């Protein structure tokens, strides 16, 4: 069973930056896997913000394009989410997720089988 752990959340003023990290407690045993970052609030269901596939291909939600960057260090089994120019509407619990599926829809919550417990990001003045 894969257990993921996120870190890097916190409180920041609008326009500020944060970098989130996520890694499994133990190294992945499977060779191919993809990552996703999702966020959720009490008012909105969980939604994808950024994903990166096995080939390094990335997808972003329209709301974060140009501001967020997802990257992965395969040697460290670690995924990152650099968040710049943060806005109050970015406030949410952020979750990382992983999938070992070879075919999937990158931005779909149901494509991911393993999740972290979340890290809170709060953007306010």
């Amino acid at each position: 069973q894969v257990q993921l752990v996120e870190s890097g959340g916190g409180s920041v003023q609008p326009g500020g930056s944060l970098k989130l990290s996520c890694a499994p407690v133990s190294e992945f045993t499977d060779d191919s896997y993809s990552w996703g970052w999702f966020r959720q609030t009490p008012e909105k269901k969980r939604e994808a913000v950024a994903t990166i596939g096995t080939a390094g291909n990335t997808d972003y939600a329209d709301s974060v394009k140009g501001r967020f960057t997802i990257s992965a260090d395969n040697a460290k089994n670690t995924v990152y989410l650099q968040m710049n120019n943060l806005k109050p509407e970015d406030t949410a619990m952020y979750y990382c997720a992983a999938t070992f599926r070879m075919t999937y829809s990158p931005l779909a919550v149901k494509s991911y089988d393993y999740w972290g417990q979340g890290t809170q990001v709060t953007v306010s003045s």
Side-chain angles (χ1 to χ4, degrees):
Q1 181 172 192
V2 178
Q3 181 179 351
L4 306 179
V5 180
E6 306 99 336
S7 63
S11 297
V12 65
Q13 294 183 338
S17 298
L18 287 173
K19 187 174 184 178
L20 308 183
S21 301
C22 175
V25 174
S26 300
E27 288 191 15
F28 292 133
T29 56
D30 293 290
D31 183 67
S32 298
Y33 54 91
S34 299
W35 293 102
W37 283 99
F38 296 76
R39 64 188 181 189
Q40 185 173 2
T41 69
E43 295 79 25
K44 295 183 177 181
K45 64 180 181 179
R46 192 168 300 187
E47 63 178 7
V49 296
T51 66
I52 184 166
T54 57
N57 50 297
T58 58
D59 287 290
Y60 296 91
D62 289 341
S63 60
V64 307
K65 287 181 179 178
R67 299 188 298 118
F68 291 10
T69 302
I70 187 172
S71 62
D73 185 336
N74 292 329
K76 296 181 179 180
N77 286 173
T78 303
V79 66
Y80 306 93
L81 184 67
Q82 178 67 52
M83 304 184 293
N84 297 325
N85 192 23
L86 284 161
K87 303 176 180 180
E89 50 263 45
D90 294 318
T91 295
M93 184 72 73
Y94 282 71
Y95 300 87
C96 71
T99 181
F100 302 112
R101 305 181 192 190
M102 297 304 297
T103 57
Y104 68 103
S105 180
L107 298 176
V109 170
K110 294 183 178 181
S111 292
Y112 298 84
D113 302 301
Y114 305 99
W115 296 83
Q117 294 300 305
T119 184
Q120 180 67 37
V121 171
T122 301
V123 185
S124 65
S125 300

